Amino acid sequence: MKKLLILMMASLIACPGILAQLQVAITIDDVPNTKAYNASLTLVRQLDQKKVPTAIFINESKLQFSKNQGFFANVGLLMHWGNPPYNTLGNHTYSHLRYSAVGYQAFTQDLVKGEEFTEKLAKKYHKKLRYFRFPYNDLGKDSSQHHQIVHYLQANNYILTPFTVESSDWMFNYLYEHYQKQGKPKEAQRIGNLYIQKTLEYFTFFEKMAMAQYKRPVRHIYLCHDNPLNADYIGLLLSKLRQRKYSFISLTKAMQDPVYQQTDVYYKKWGVSWMYRWMKDGKARSQLMKTEPDIMSVYQEYQKVLKAKH
Ligand SMILES: [Zn+2]
């Protein structure tokens, strides 16, 4: 009996999820995907139906895309995203520029341009536009560019939005759309299932990293995109996370976790997780990055398809 008790205690320590509730905020970038209008509508409807609080990061330039539905229909799509009371609005710049490439002047101009319609939307839904997320999570090519923009955001009452978990869903989506257009649903399905498998592996990876660094689970922020892949697979992903005892919280609640008060000391342009950016030891950071879940085969497949197209 004593032995059994010890075994049970050991398994509880090994699986922290049993002891502490896991929490994650879902955040979606590049909203509204007017090029995949119906998929975008499907995605927002599912999240809305499940009442999953979602923070959305908007590129207003997408409202101008006219091939599918036209401007007013595009605005209608964005209103679907902005309307749910538990959805948070965020600015993702007007035209999705890379900060390290265009520099401070052009970037801040594009950022302000990206507020115009979203501010109106926020007012209509009695919300505030407080969150900003960098396209590509590119915070500048060096520490001076980095500090300059962080200061700008603070001075303009913006909250810089981090993330802890992402799984390159954009790359999986590229292949997913490609196979769908080619009339290869089985290939598309293979990519979809691989996306779920790898995303869960990434969650495990960052859960373990949180336990190693903070000795407790942290409130995670998952980053993904408004795309057809998520339109078809978000339900499965959410149910898998629920099985792991995750609950879905707002971005604001996630950011109340003290881990988000730490300083980002990563001064390169790459869009890495904030779990790495808080690490002061650059060598240890690089070592850890090498132990991430392996998605090389997907990357190679993506490169192959990309090359064949050009
Ligand atoms: Zn983006």
Side-chain angles (χ1 to χ4, degrees):
M1 187 65 196
K2 214 174 174 185
K3 226 177 182 179
L4 186 70
L5 232 139
I6 292 167
L7 267 171
M8 275 174 68
M9 285 300 289
S11 74
L12 276 173
I13 292 162
C15 310
I18 299 169
L19 288 173
Q21 174 87 52
L22 293 167
Q23 295 176 310
V24 62
I26 303 294
T27 64
I28 301 197
D29 287 9
D30 304 4
V31 173
N33 189 347
T34 48
K35 287 188 179 174
Y37 192 97
N38 290 334
S40 181
L41 203 55
T42 304
L43 179 57
V44 67
R45 279 189 176 146
Q46 284 186 78
L47 291 162
D48 196 10
Q49 239 170 28
K50 295 177 201 299
K51 303 215 177 330
V52 173
T54 307
I56 58 165
F57 292 89
I58 300 162
N59 301 122
E60 289 189 16
S61 63
K62 293 180 189 300
L63 296 175
Q64 303 299 334
F65 183 73
S66 59
K67 206 169 151 194
N68 285 350
Q69 312 273 345
F71 178 77
F72 290 105
N74 292 344
V75 169
L77 177 60
L78 183 55
M79 284 166 80
H80 277 287
W81 280 98
N83 183 27
Y86 34 82
N87 277 9
T88 304
L89 299 174
N91 183 349
H92 195 41
T93 73
Y94 180 81
S95 52
H96 210 275
L97 298 180
R98 190 178 260 288
Y99 173 49
S100 67
V102 300
Y104 182 80
Q105 198 75 25
F107 189 79
T108 49
Q109 268 172 16
D110 201 57
L111 188 158
V112 172
K113 199 176 171 191
E115 292 169 346
E116 203 182 319
F117 188 79
T118 313
E119 283 280 17
K120 286 181 191 150
L121 204 67
K123 221 174 194 181
K124 179 175 166 62
Y125 296 126
H126 309 289
K127 297 179 183 185
K128 282 202 169 93
L129 177 58
R130 297 171 63 213
Y131 290 93
F132 178 78
R133 180 175 270 155
F134 285 83
Y136 313 100
N137 286 283
D138 175 343
L139 276 70
K141 61 183 179 197
D142 53 30
S143 63
S144 97
Q145 235 191 10
H146 178 111
H147 289 131
Q148 201 177 12
I149 199 71
V150 168
H151 183 260
Y152 173 90
L153 291 173
Q154 280 167 354
N156 288 279
N157 294 318
Y158 266 117
I159 300 167
L160 197 167
T161 311
F163 72 89
T164 55
V165 186
E166 69 100 28
S167 53
S168 302
D169 71 315
W170 57 270
M171 190 163 73
F172 286 89
N173 179 68
Y174 183 90
L175 289 169
Y176 187 71
E177 283 197 278
H178 167 75
Y179 290 129
Q180 276 191 328
K181 276 174 199 157
Q182 294 242 310
K184 293 178 178 168
K186 276 194 177 154
E187 289 296 292
Q189 200 181 19
R190 173 178 61 83
I191 295 296
N193 289 328
L194 197 57
Y195 165 57
I196 298 299
Q197 185 200 320
K198 289 293 167 187
T199 302
L200 293 172
E201 283 178 26
Y202 273 103
F203 268 94
T204 305
F205 179 82
F206 287 110
E207 283 162 13
K208 282 184 181 164
M209 195 166 157
M211 286 309 289
Q213 299 197 347
Y214 306 107
K215 314 288 177 240
R216 64 174 178 88
V218 302
R219 292 180 185 172
H220 283 291
I221 299 175
Y222 178 60
L223 180 161
C224 64
H225 295 82
D226 180 5
N227 60 33
L229 176 66
N230 283 312
D232 292 344
Y233 282 86
I234 200 80
L236 183 57
L237 180 60
L238 296 176
S239 76
K240 292 276 183 194
L241 290 173
R242 244 187 215 121
Q243 280 170 20
R244 275 201 197 190
K245 308 288 178 223
Y246 265 99
S247 64
F248 304 107
I249 55 172
S250 69
L251 176 59
T252 304
K253 193 173 173 196
M255 287 190 71
Q256 282 163 3
D257 187 318
V259 287
Y260 295 102
Q261 285 165 20
Q262 299 173 94
T263 309
D264 170 3
V265 291
Y266 177 79
Y267 302 125
K268 291 178 188 163
K269 66 177 183 178
W270 311 113
V272 303
S273 165
W274 265 252
M275 294 290 286
Y276 294 123
R277 291 170 189 259
W278 296 318
M279 291 175 71
K280 290 179 184 77
D281 184 344
K283 254 191 188 163
R285 184 197 291 139
S286 306
Q287 286 299 323
L288 252 179
M289 282 178 180
K290 285 177 195 157
T291 63
E292 274 198 1
D294 184 7
I295 53 167
M296 187 48 88
S297 69
V298 185
Y299 179 70
Q300 283 166 345
E301 197 173 337
Y302 164 74
Q303 286 291 333
K304 210 171 133 187
V305 173
L306 202 64
K307 265 184 200 156
K309 278 193 177 175
H310 294 291

